[in-house]
Amino acid sequence: MKIATWNINGVKARLDGLVTWLGEASPDVVCLQEIKSVDEAFPRDPIEALGYNVATHGQKGFNGVAVLSKRPLEDVTPRLAGDEDDVQARFLEAIVPDENNGIVRVVSAYMPNGNPLGSEKFSYKLAWMERLEAWVEERLALEEPFVLAGDFNIIPEPIDARHPERWTEDALFQPESRNAYRKLTARGLTDALRAVADAGDIYTFWDYQAGAWQKNNGIRIDHLLLSPEAADRLTGVGIDKHVRAWEKPSDHVPVWSALS
């Protein structure tokens, strides 16, 4: 089962690229972030025409997440528990049947950016990550394969940035943010990419500004975290970097993992 994550940065603006990539890469499951669309306006038809089931948790103009799957989607659950007043569309959970009559639980998550530092946005980021940690603890107790996929808006280590010194005043690289990420891996989740590669210059995001793509001034903030039961089935990981050079690209690229 090939499971991918991609911050699409506006599904309507990137629809042609999304459809092209789906036909080219043929993932079984795709977790999209920043769809920037309400559920009713999500462009389902061209995606369903490729054989995908579609679940969305949208929001007008910003945020919004979706799960696309070639297999049925069951027990679809929007929103992350822990704050009834949080109306931002950042979390969508679903169960996907696998080929062995089992299941894989998948989550498409769009973590808060947190900038500027010292603001309510940074406090919200850290509180959201605490809620996510509680969710992870509950799901680990089920002892089932799950993949937590998305734009984490966290640079885990200096190796995950071309110029880490340029990010020291950014919420994505603060000790508190990185510690929140480490808490997830400390609970037993595996960073799929780092399970197979320890090299530098592996990025998933290049800003539109200052020629970041052309200079390869990237960062790695899009991650697939696997439960132990999913990590045991990991057979491959990839980053489809080439789509960043397409016309009207997202500033993120797809990241995928393959499970046996």
Side-chain angles (χ1 to χ4, degrees), residues 34-65:
E34 272 202 287
I35 61 174
K36 299 181 180 180
S37 169
V38 296
D39 296 334
E40 298 78 11
F42 187 89
R44 308 171 67 97
D45 290 349
I47 297 169
E48 291 176 341
L50 294 173
Y52 287 93
N53 299 289
V54 177
T56 62
H57 178 37
Q59 187 173 348
K60 185 177 181 179
F62 58 102
N63 297 335
V65 286

Side-chain angles (χ1 to χ4, degrees), residues 70-215:
K70 291 182 177 179
R71 300 169 188 175
L73 290 168
E74 303 172 356
D75 295 342
V76 177
T77 305
R79 300 193 182 281
L80 179 63
D83 185 353
E84 294 299 323
D85 296 326
D86 186 0
V87 298
Q88 297 191 30
R90 294 184 175 276
F91 183 92
L92 186 62
E93 177 181 4
I95 290 175
V96 181
D98 66 18
E99 296 175 346
N100 301 313
N101 297 317
I103 62 98
V104 176
R105 188 181 299 273
V106 297
V107 169
S108 180
Y110 176 45
M111 287 64 165
N113 178 283
N115 283 302
L117 294 177
S119 70
E120 292 182 358
K121 292 182 177 181
F122 189 60
S123 298
Y124 172 66
K125 177 188 186 79
L126 299 181
W128 203 96
M129 293 300 295
E130 288 181 359
R131 290 160 56 198
L132 182 64
E133 185 183 1
W135 176 89
V136 166
E137 184 176 9
E138 292 178 358
R139 293 299 179 261
L140 284 172
L142 299 177
E143 297 185 350
E144 64 186 19
F146 74 76
V147 178
L148 173 58
D151 175 1
F152 281 63
N153 270 314
I154 295 174
I155 305 168
E157 300 293 341
I159 196 175
D160 296 309
R162 180 70 181 274
H163 296 290
E165 71 280 0
R166 298 180 183 177
W167 295 90
T168 55
E169 300 301 318
D170 194 285
L172 277 63
F173 198 50
Q174 291 309 294
E176 299 94 330
S177 305
R178 296 168 61 198
N179 187 53
Y181 188 86
R182 289 193 195 102
K183 285 182 177 180
L184 299 180
T185 56
R187 287 196 175 275
L189 299 188
T190 295
D191 181 329
L193 188 281
R194 287 304 177 204
V196 302
D198 57 6
D201 282 344
I202 300 176
Y203 311 124
T204 65
F205 170 90
W206 297 261
D207 199 292
Y208 293 125
Q209 306 298 320
W213 166 247
Q214 291 78 6
K215 298 173 184 176

Side-chain angles (χ1 to χ4, degrees), residues 6-27:
W6 191 5
N7 180 322
I8 196 69
N9 193 14
V11 67
K12 296 174 186 176
R14 322 291 174 204
L15 184 59
D16 289 346
L18 174 60
V19 169
T20 298
W21 174 76
L22 288 172
E24 173 189 283
S26 192

